[in-house]
């Protein structure tokens, strides 16, 4: 019996694949490589010392191809990472996002139902909390979205909830990630965004490597300890491990459940710059500019529910995140 990982060649999926293999699970990866590279599969093999990993270069929107995977393999559960995730692009090309993210999930769920595969872990995002009135954020906080990407996540959450209501045998762990950064210790896998990065850590590493000149800090007049935006950064390996706990949870619990995957600690932009500089002994030139439209002051998780129900807790430090992000970037860009 295998765990099917959709989007398993991507940033979080590849790290999760490693954790699953290391825990003795059989895995199958499906990814259309629209935002990833086939080399990642080779690197997962290298890191885990595995001879072969079943990999299908298919689009999850294609029912025929997904059906073929389910026909030819015994799949006990699915972790569904496949999706487009660039917030800015989703505003410019909403149809692309609604089409890909919704169609792939609907197709996957239809095929799973056909083969009586009832266990799903879904990659959601803290973006579904919109602009929270208070922090830390609990799972029962109101949800809302500010861009098409976020709306696809919330729509999918609702679809999965309805599927669980209609089929009491179905179980879904919906994981709301906060801000994943870092990379595997080996430096072999990590995140390389297309074009100029939008997110903070990829921008910092590209400044560090000399590809970009200076980091723009978006606003220093927020009501936070130093005026810059505060987020819950989580090491991607901690996040990956959370998926193992979520799989264990859905083995024994039916129905739909949401979980925050964050550390519960918020760091500001200046905290991150300082930590990165200290850990890696590199200066990051930066300038303060206007706030980025749509940004919120503070966003961090209350991870109590995940600690209690999933028996999961993030353990890696901000120093680990800064070290591993740089370790990967310097190898990837040189
Ligand atoms: P990623 O882009 O690195 O990985 C997603 C993978 O899915 C890519 O390899 C891409 O090629 C593949 N993919 C996309 N559409 C597909 C399709 N139709 N069929 C097959 N493969 C497809 O992104 P990631 O950072 O690893 O994110 C994984 C999931 O977690 C996404 O759903 C994302 O929205 C969600 N998420 C990510 C973050 C983050 O900051 N990275 C935060 C919250 C939620
Ligand atoms: C972004 C996404 C969000 C997604 C999350 C995790 C946007 C508007 N939101 O959120 O939907 O769930 O990533 O993937 O893109 N910053 C700078 N300079 C930069 C880049 C960022 O100062 O060049 C600041 C931001 O203002 C923010 C912090 O760094 O305060 C983190 O930004 P980012 O990494 O983009 O993540 P989020 O804004 O949390």
């Amino acid at each position: 019996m295998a765990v099917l990982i959709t989007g398993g060649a991507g940033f979080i999926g590849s790290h999760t694949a490693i954790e699953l293999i290391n825990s003795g699970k059989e895995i199958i990866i499906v990814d259309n490589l629209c935002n990833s590279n086939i080399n990642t599969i080779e690197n997962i093999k290298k890191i885990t010392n595995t001879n072969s990993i079943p990999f299908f270069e298919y689009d999850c929107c294609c029912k025929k191809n997904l059906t073929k995977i389910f026909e030819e393999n015994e799949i006990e559960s699915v972790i569904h990472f496949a999706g487009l995730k660039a917030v800015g692009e989703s505003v410019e090309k909403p149809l692309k996002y609604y089409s890909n993210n919704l169609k792939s999930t609907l197709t996957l769920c239809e095929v799973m139902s056909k083969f009586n595969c009832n266990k799903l872990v879904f990659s959601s995002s803290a973006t579904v909390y919109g602009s929270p009135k208070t922090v830390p954020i609990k799972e029962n906080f109101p949800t809302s979205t500010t861009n098409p990407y976020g709306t696809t996540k919330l729509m999918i959450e609702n679809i999965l909830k309805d599927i669980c209501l209609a089929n009491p045998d179905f179980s879904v762990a919906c994981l709301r990630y906060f801000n994943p950064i870092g990379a595997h210790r080996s430096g072999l896998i990590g995140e390389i965004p297309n074009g100029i990065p939008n997110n903070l850590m990829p921008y910092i590493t590209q400044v560090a490597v000399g590809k970009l000149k200076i980091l723009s800090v978006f606003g220093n007049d927020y009501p936070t300890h130093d005026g810059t935006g505060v987020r819950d950064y989580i090491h991607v390996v901690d996040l990956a491990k959370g998926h193992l706990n979520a799989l264990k949870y859905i083995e024994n619990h039916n129905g739909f459940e949401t979980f925050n995957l964050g550390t519960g600690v918020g760091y500001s932009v200046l905290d991150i710059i300082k930590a990165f500089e200290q850990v890696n002994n590199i200066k990051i030139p930066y300038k303060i500019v206007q706030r980025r439209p749509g940004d919120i002051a503070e966003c961090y998780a209350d991870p109590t529910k995940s600690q209690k129900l999933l028996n999961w807790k993030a353990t890696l430090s901000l120093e680990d995140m800064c070290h591993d992000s740089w370790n990967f970037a310097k190898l990837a860009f040189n």
Side-chain angles (χ1 to χ4, degrees), residues 6-14 30-37 56-62 80-86 100-101 103-104 122-127 149 152-153 175-181 190-191 199 236 239 243:
T6 77
F11 176 45
I12 306 170
S14 58
V30 55
D31 197 305
N32 65 359
L33 303 181
C34 69
N35 195 36
S36 49
N37 194 293
F56 297 89
E57 190 181 335
Y58 292 160
D59 191 316
C60 292
C61 301
C62 177
H80 183 37
F81 294 101
L84 300 173
K85 62 164 185 175
N100 186 70
N101 292 1
K103 226 190 265 175
S104 58
F122 173 63
S123 298
S124 188
S125 167
T127 195
Y149 162 72
T152 67
K153 291 294 172 194
L175 307 181
R176 293 172 174 167
Y177 311 150
F178 280 68
N179 290 55
I181 57 171
E191 186 180 29
N199 297 119
V236 65
L239 190 73
H243 293 74

Side-chain angles (χ1 to χ4, degrees), residues 22 38 125 154 182 230:
N22 287 344
I38 188 70
S125 167
L154 199 50
V230 165

Side-chain angles (χ1 to χ4, degrees), residues 8 11 44 58 68 74 111 128 132 142 176 204 238 259 264 283:
F11 176 45
I44 298 173
Y58 292 160
K68 216 166 124 211
E74 278 207 66
V111 176
V128 301
R176 293 172 174 167
I204 289 180
D238 271 334
F259 297 99
K283 208 83 206 123

Side-chain angles (χ1 to χ4, degrees), residues 32-240:
N32 65 359
L33 303 181
C34 69
N35 195 36
S36 49
N37 194 293
I38 188 70
N39 291 341
T40 303
I41 305 294
E42 290 309 310
N43 285 328
I44 298 173
K45 284 192 217 162
K46 244 186 238 169
I47 291 167
T48 54
N49 211 4
T50 308
N51 287 330
S52 83
I53 294 172
F55 171 69
F56 297 89
E57 190 181 335
Y58 292 160
D59 191 316
C60 292
C61 301
C62 177
K63 197 169 187 175
K64 198 170 130 231
N65 282 342
L66 272 193
T67 302
K68 216 166 124 211
I69 299 178
F70 277 80
E71 270 168 1
E72 290 169 3
N73 299 278
E74 278 207 66
I75 295 173
E76 58 178 319
S77 52
V78 180
I79 310 183
H80 183 37
F81 294 101
L84 300 173
K85 62 164 185 175
V87 173
E89 189 191 44
S90 81
V91 177
E92 283 157 30
K93 299 177 182 168
L95 265 181
K96 181 175 171 185
Y97 276 69
Y98 286 116
S99 175
N100 186 70
N101 292 1
L102 293 176
K103 226 190 265 175
S104 58
T105 308
L106 291 173
T107 309
L108 174 68
C109 289
E110 280 168 14
V111 176
M112 285 177 69
S113 296
K114 188 173 165 203
F115 287 85
N116 272 327
C117 176
N118 293 330
K119 298 189 188 320
L120 179 69
V121 176
F122 173 63
S123 298
S124 188
S125 167
T127 195
V128 301
Y129 295 116
S131 304
K133 287 211 168 70
T134 57
V135 279
I137 301 168
K138 285 183 194 293
E139 286 83 351
N140 61 6
F141 273 28
T143 51
S144 69
T145 58
T146 52
N147 56 71
Y149 162 72
T151 309
T152 67
K153 291 294 172 194
L154 199 50
M155 288 170 89
I156 293 169
E157 286 201 4
N158 286 325
I159 291 166
L160 297 175
K161 209 184 293 169
D162 285 341
I163 293 175
C164 289
L165 279 175
N167 178 356
D169 291 332
F170 216 86
S171 47
V172 174
C174 178
L175 307 181
R176 293 172 174 167
Y177 311 150
F178 280 68
N179 290 55
I181 57 171
H184 191 263
R185 250 299 133 110
S186 63
L188 288 175
I189 59 167
E191 186 180 29
I192 306 180
N194 287 329
I196 295 178
N198 289 308
N199 297 119
L200 180 64
M201 187 53 89
Y203 206 105
I204 289 180
T205 53
Q206 294 204 13
V207 170
V209 96
K211 262 192 92 176
L212 296 168
K213 278 212 171 69
I214 187 164
L215 170 74
S216 294
V217 174
F218 299 141
N220 66 349
D221 55 353
Y222 285 107
T224 60
H225 65 271
D226 60 19
T228 64
V230 165
R231 296 292 183 273
D232 188 336
Y233 298 93
I234 175 167
H235 197 296
V236 65
V237 172
D238 271 334
L239 190 73

